[in-house]
């Protein structure tokens, strides 16, 4: 469809009334909706980024049990924080919350900032999270634009420009702000997100049951299926990786990833990517030699684990292995720390999902003496 700059009709305040009425009758009872504690709102909104509500609920409940307030989070070791986050992905979210909690304790006497600007100064808090805390916890008239809200307004406005463009986000934010009923930003923002989650879904939106359908230009123009305009999907990269379960005196060698980069601070079984033309066994021997300065004997293959991360599809070839000279001390070229741990100790540490699946398998099948 050709792009047009012709001004389009914008929804009126009636939009907000219909939306709030619908929300009153249809809002789901979610744990973070039973509180106005800014800390709990912050935690829930960070967890909800890129993650579905049903996945977040048990994580949120466990987190609030373990770290019920900012000071308990700030005082917790980072290892415990990452363990609590294990499986949620995008681990920088947990690391940043930990950093921000420490900063709130050190710089702000343990109190969360009460302004949008003050919130934005904390690590990991962007416009979306600051908008959520200001509107939901403090009921300030601040808009909140997440992926659900963008989708709803891209359809309401029948927006032809890609929704991720800065100009599109600015336009949506401006419209959302203009529609906030004074003093009801918290409810309004949550109602918009709920509409996006339950009715105006990415596929097969329920336009017949939509409380704001009379305001929807995409419905009128029959362009719902092509709104929002999204950027082309990034291709995921396929990776072949080897990992070794190196056992000595019934203890297993694990290493902690460096504090910066992908899955920083998580524990893993040593190994690495295959070079072109290399077999998984050769890659494993080379990686142990390069990164840990250990000569290993590569033993039987334990399994191959396939796992999809956001940007990668990993095929993890796992082998038993043993040190040729058991007295050798591993070096730290690509890890922050190494440990020899008992199988039981593996449970208390945070691992990437593929390694966690391997641990479950090892627990079931047993570790050789
Ligand atoms: S009418 Fe359909 S496309 Fe338009 S806002 Fe409602 S659910 Fe979304």
């Amino acid at each position: 469809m050709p792009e047009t700059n012709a001004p389009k009709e914008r929804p009126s305040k009636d939009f907000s009334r219909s939306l709030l009425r619908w929300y009153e009758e249809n809002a789901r009872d979610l744990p973070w909706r039973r509180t106005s504690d800014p800390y709990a709102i912050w935690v829930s909104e960070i967890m909800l980024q890129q993650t579905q509500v049903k996945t977040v609920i048990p994580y949120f409940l466990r987190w609030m049990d373990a770290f019920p307030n900012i000071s308990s989070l700030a005082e917790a070791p980072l290892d415990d924080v990452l363990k609590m986050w294990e499986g949620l992905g995008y681990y920088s979210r947990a690391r940043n919350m930990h950093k921000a909690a420490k900063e709130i304790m050190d710089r702000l006497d343990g109190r969360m900032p009460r302004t949008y600007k003050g919130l934005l100064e904390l690590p990991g808090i962007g416009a979306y999270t600051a908008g959520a805390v200001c509107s939901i916890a403090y009921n300030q008239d601040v808009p909140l634009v997440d992926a659900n809200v963008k989708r709803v307004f891209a359809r309401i406005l029948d927006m032809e420009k890609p929704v991720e463009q800065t100009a599109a986000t600015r336009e949506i934010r401006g419209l959302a702000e203009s529609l906030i009923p004074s003093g009801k930003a918290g409810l309004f923002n949550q109602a918009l997100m709920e509409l996006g989650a339950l009715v105006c879904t990415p596929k097969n939106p329920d336009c017949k049951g939509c409380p704001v359908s009379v305001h929807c230009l995409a419905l009128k123009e029959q362009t719902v299926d092509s709104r929002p305009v999204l950027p082309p999907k990034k291709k995921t990269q396929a990776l072949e990786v080897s990992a070794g379960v190196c056992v000595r005196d019934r203890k297993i060698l694990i290493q902690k990833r460096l504090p910066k980069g992908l899955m920083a601070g998580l524990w893993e079984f040593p190994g690495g990517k295959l070079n072109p033309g290399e077999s998984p066994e050769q890659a494993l021997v080379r990686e142990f030699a390069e990164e840990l300065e250990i000569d290993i004997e590569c033993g039987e293959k334990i399994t191959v684990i396939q796992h999809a991360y956001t940007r990668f599809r990993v095929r993890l070839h796992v082998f038993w292995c043993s040190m040729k000279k058991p007295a050798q001390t591993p070096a730290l070229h690509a890890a922050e720390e190494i440990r020899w741990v008992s199988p039981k100790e593996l449970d208390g540490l945070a691992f990437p999902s593929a390694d966690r699946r391997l641990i479950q398998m090892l627990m079931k099948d047993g570790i050789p003496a």
Side-chain angles (χ1 to χ4, degrees):
M1 179 176 289
E3 284 219 5
T4 165
N5 291 324
K8 288 180 170 174
E9 226 173 291
R10 291 163 75 87
S12 61
K13 290 277 179 190
D14 178 52
F15 172 98
S16 317
R17 278 191 290 274
S18 308
L19 180 65
L20 286 179
R21 247 195 324 267
W22 171 84
Y23 184 63
E24 226 168 82
E25 285 162 19
N26 295 281
R28 287 168 294 176
D29 177 24
L30 301 173
W32 46 89
R33 288 194 178 147
R34 297 175 205 148
T35 174
S36 57
D37 171 11
Y39 168 70
I41 307 291
W42 173 37
V43 172
S44 68
E45 292 301 332
I46 296 285
M47 285 186 173
L48 285 164
Q49 287 167 21
Q50 327 270 357
T51 314
Q52 290 188 343
V53 164
K54 70 172 189 306
T55 308
V56 167
I57 291 173
Y59 276 94
F60 175 80
L61 295 174
R62 281 197 298 267
W63 181 284
M64 294 305 290
D65 218 30
F67 316 123
N69 46 42
I70 296 171
S71 65
S72 54
L73 175 59
E75 282 161 19
L78 179 60
D79 264 353
D80 292 1
V81 174
L82 291 174
K83 177 66 193 166
M84 202 53 69
W85 201 269
E86 189 187 70
L88 264 186
Y90 297 101
Y91 289 85
S92 58
R93 295 182 292 174
R95 282 195 302 276
N96 277 332
M97 268 207 288
H98 189 234
K99 225 190 280 173
K102 282 175 182 290
E103 202 177 313
I104 293 171
M105 295 309 294
D106 294 346
R107 189 168 63 80
L108 303 166
D109 283 339
R111 280 189 292 272
M112 271 200 73
R114 287 192 67 89
T115 64
Y116 182 76
K117 198 168 157 277
L119 285 161
L120 284 181
E121 283 167 13
L122 292 170
I125 296 198
Y128 162 73
T129 311
V133 174
C134 281
S135 62
I136 301 170
Y138 306 141
N139 211 20
Q140 295 169 6
D141 287 349
V142 177
L144 192 174
V145 177
D146 73 344
N148 281 325
V149 175
K150 279 185 188 172
R151 183 171 59 254
V152 170
F153 280 127
R155 287 172 174 164
I156 292 287
L157 295 172
D158 190 25
M159 197 174 246
E160 287 159 13
K161 46 183 168 283
V163 77
E164 292 309 329
Q165 270 182 9
T166 314
T169 305
R170 205 180 303 128
E171 188 177 343
I172 288 171
R173 198 177 156 77
L175 177 59
E177 190 164 14
S178 73
L179 291 170
I180 294 174
S182 181
K184 291 188 178 163
L187 278 179
F188 177 75
N189 287 341
Q190 291 182 87
L192 265 179
M193 291 192 289
E194 195 77 334
L195 185 75
L198 300 182
V199 178
C200 194
T201 47
K203 283 187 189 147
N204 306 319
D206 176 17
C207 297
K208 285 201 177 106
C210 177
V212 293
S213 58
V214 293
H215 302 276
C216 185
L217 290 179
L219 184 65
K220 196 165 144 193
E221 302 294 335
Q222 300 185 354
T223 54
V224 171
D225 290 344
S226 52
R227 301 287 180 261
V229 176
L230 296 169
K233 268 201 175 160
K234 282 192 190 137
K235 274 197 183 153
T236 53
Q237 199 188 342
L239 290 181
E240 296 284 327
V241 179
S242 282
V245 181
C246 189
V247 183
R248 190 181 72 180
D249 301 331
R250 289 202 57 79
K251 296 224 163 170
I252 300 165
L253 180 65
I254 55 170
Q255 63 182 21
K256 192 183 205 179
R257 293 176 69 89
L258 294 170
K260 285 210 170 124
L262 199 67
M263 295 189 270
L266 265 64
W267 290 88
E268 65 180 6
F269 294 91
K273 277 184 273 177
L274 273 64
N275 283 339
E278 214 175 24
S279 72
E281 289 89 341
Q282 287 167 334
L284 191 65
V285 171
R286 177 186 51 74
E287 287 284 344
F288 266 76
E290 283 174 6
E291 298 192 345
L292 295 163
E293 292 183 22
I294 291 181
D295 299 321
I296 58 154
E297 202 79 65
C298 182
E300 246 179 77
K301 190 171 235 183
I302 302 175
T303 187
V304 177
I305 293 176
Q306 312 224 34
H307 194 85
Y309 294 96
T310 322
R311 283 180 282 154
F312 309 100
R313 270 176 297 114
V314 172
R315 224 148 67 100
L316 185 66
H317 304 263
V318 191
F319 299 88
W320 294 114
C321 60
S322 55
M323 291 167 71
K324 284 187 179 167
K325 297 175 203 152
Q328 262 184 324
T329 306
L332 287 177
H333 293 307
E336 190 187 349
E337 190 185 333
I338 62 126
R339 276 191 207 168
W340 289 96
V341 294
S342 67
K344 219 172 161 196
E345 284 170 281
L346 293 170
D347 249 357
L349 300 168
F351 285 84
S353 299
D355 293 58
R356 177 53 65 196
R357 279 171 57 195
L358 171 63
I359 292 169
Q360 282 160 355
M361 194 179 292
L362 294 176
M363 293 300 154
K364 208 165 128 246
D365 299 345
I367 314 272

